[in-house]
Amino acid sequence: MTKLSAVAAVAALALAGCGSSDSSSGGSGDKPSASKDVCKTAKGDGPKIGLAYDVGGRGDQSFNDSAYAGLEKAVSDFNATCIEGEATDGEAESAREDRLRNFAENGATAVVGVGFAYSESINKVAPDFPDVNFGVIDGFDPDDKANDNVAYLGFAEEQGSFLVGVAAAQKSKSGTIGFVGGVNNDLIKKFEAGYAAGAKAAKPDVKVLVSYIQESDLKGFGDPAGGKAAATGEFDKGADVVYHAAGGSGSGVFDAAVDAGDGKWAIGVDSDQYLTATDAQKTHILTSMLKRVDTATYDFVKSVDAGSPLTSYQSYDLKADGVGYSTSGGFLDDITGDIDGYKAKIISGAIKVPTAP
């Protein structure tokens, strides 16, 4: 991946699930409670992990929560300890740098920034701590200096999106499906491109409607009302399946499917969103495109613990189990064989999935 494409490609998903929160407080409602905070109880003598969440933090039921799941497993498997911090909406770049420096100065040996927005700050901080290993989810090297203690952990989102596109087309009765993106930039276009390609592979005559909540404002990832409006518009135009790549705005897409009535479906993203949806939403969540941020987080810590830290660009694709699709609810039971057939062709190289619409 070139520097230009890397910068463009990562300009979004880190803000999945944007919303006000404070992970250090233990939270309330849907936020994890203090009793579930592994960093408050871990007392091992393994690596010390610093996990820097993006806006929304733990409890976003998506991107950040997936990173936390990887952290939990790493703490358990490697007898590790950990410290956490969370970005606030609109904070200065210096705040991200301070968060990372605080981790390193407090003994962290493996520091993970959850989302592209940590790329610049890690680029500045990493050279000052050569004995600390840094990883950036969806990250990029801002100046191509190739710091030898930084890993950029990326994903083949288009491949997982292809599979849920197949599912959408095969389950659609109207012949029209939809896509709702949080922000119209190159990373989210990877989701759109893969989804449309998968749908067309399964049913060449399927119609794919496309909507973006925002053209450039990253608030598009934290706007459930905007997500609902965009999805409602597509349902009104005949779509009966709508896939979102819109972070926290996706809850509005689920609500739109509920309001649209029987036979209307939504597709989640990042994590298995069926598992965290309301009872009403669950009956409308066909599947979710899985982006295994937990796997990337865990693998990075594992490499540090083993003494061979990952560095440079790392790609988590279908072959590496970095992306995939969920089957919760059993709504795909009759077509999983077909979907997995396409998966095998992508892994073998027989199908090349586009990364742009």
Side-chain angles (χ1 to χ4, degrees), residues 122-176:
I122 283 181
N123 189 56
K124 292 181 180 179
V125 173
D128 296 339
F129 298 93
D131 294 329
V132 178
N133 301 283
F134 294 85
V136 197
I137 303 296
D138 280 343
F140 63 94
D141 186 349
D143 53 20
D144 292 327
K145 286 184 178 178
N147 293 305
D148 59 10
N149 60 334
V150 180
Y152 306 103
L153 309 172
F155 298 83
E157 295 94 350
E158 73 281 358
Q159 293 184 357
S161 296
F162 185 103
L163 300 184
V164 299
V166 170
Q170 291 202 359
K171 286 294 183 178
S172 175
K173 297 185 183 302
S174 69
T176 299

Side-chain angles (χ1 to χ4, degrees), residues 107-309:
T109 55
V111 174
V112 178
V114 184
F116 82 96
Y118 282 101
S119 298
E120 296 279 0
S121 52
I122 283 181
N123 189 56
K124 292 181 180 179
V125 173
D128 296 339
F129 298 93
D131 294 329
V132 178
N133 301 283
F134 294 85
V136 197
I137 303 296
D138 280 343
F140 63 94
D141 186 349
D143 53 20
D144 292 327
K145 286 184 178 178
N147 293 305
D148 59 10
N149 60 334
V150 180
Y152 306 103
L153 309 172
F155 298 83
E157 295 94 350
E158 73 281 358
Q159 293 184 357
S161 296
F162 185 103
L163 300 184
V164 299
V166 170
Q170 291 202 359
K171 286 294 183 178
S172 175
K173 297 185 183 302
S174 69
T176 299
I177 62 175
F179 173 83
V180 173
V183 178
N184 189 358
N185 59 32
D186 284 358
L187 177 55
I188 302 305
K189 287 179 181 177
K190 287 175 68 179
F191 291 79
E192 177 195 338
Y195 178 65
K200 295 287 186 179
K203 289 186 178 179
D205 59 347
V206 71
K207 182 177 181 180
V208 183
L209 305 177
V210 177
S211 302
Y212 281 91
I213 300 170
Q214 294 286 342
E215 283 300 306
S216 59
D217 192 335
L218 295 180
K219 291 182 179 178
F221 295 108
D223 182 6
K228 184 174 183 179
T232 297
E234 293 181 346
F235 285 126
D236 288 347
K237 292 177 182 178
D240 53 0
V241 186
V242 175
Y243 171 40
H244 88 85
S249 302
S251 62
V253 175
F254 298 154
D255 288 339
V258 173
D259 290 350
D262 292 343
K264 300 301 189 292
W265 296 101
I267 295 176
V269 76
D270 294 342
S271 61
D272 184 351
Q273 295 197 292
Y274 177 94
L275 301 178
T276 52
T278 66
D279 288 343
Q281 291 172 342
K282 283 183 176 180
T283 59
H284 292 268
I285 298 179
L286 181 64
T287 180
S288 295
M289 196 287 281
L290 303 178
K291 180 172 176 176
R292 299 302 302 273
V293 176
D294 56 335
T295 297
T297 301
Y298 177 86
D299 283 355
F300 177 70
V301 177
K302 180 180 179 180
S303 73
V304 174
D305 181 66
S308 300

Side-chain angles (χ1 to χ4, degrees), residues 315-338:
S315 178
Y316 288 84
D317 56 11
L318 279 175
K319 187 175 182 179
D321 194 29
V323 292
Y325 71 99
S326 65
T327 57
S328 296
F331 306 125
L332 299 184
D333 287 354
D334 58 329
I335 60 171
T336 54
D338 292 338

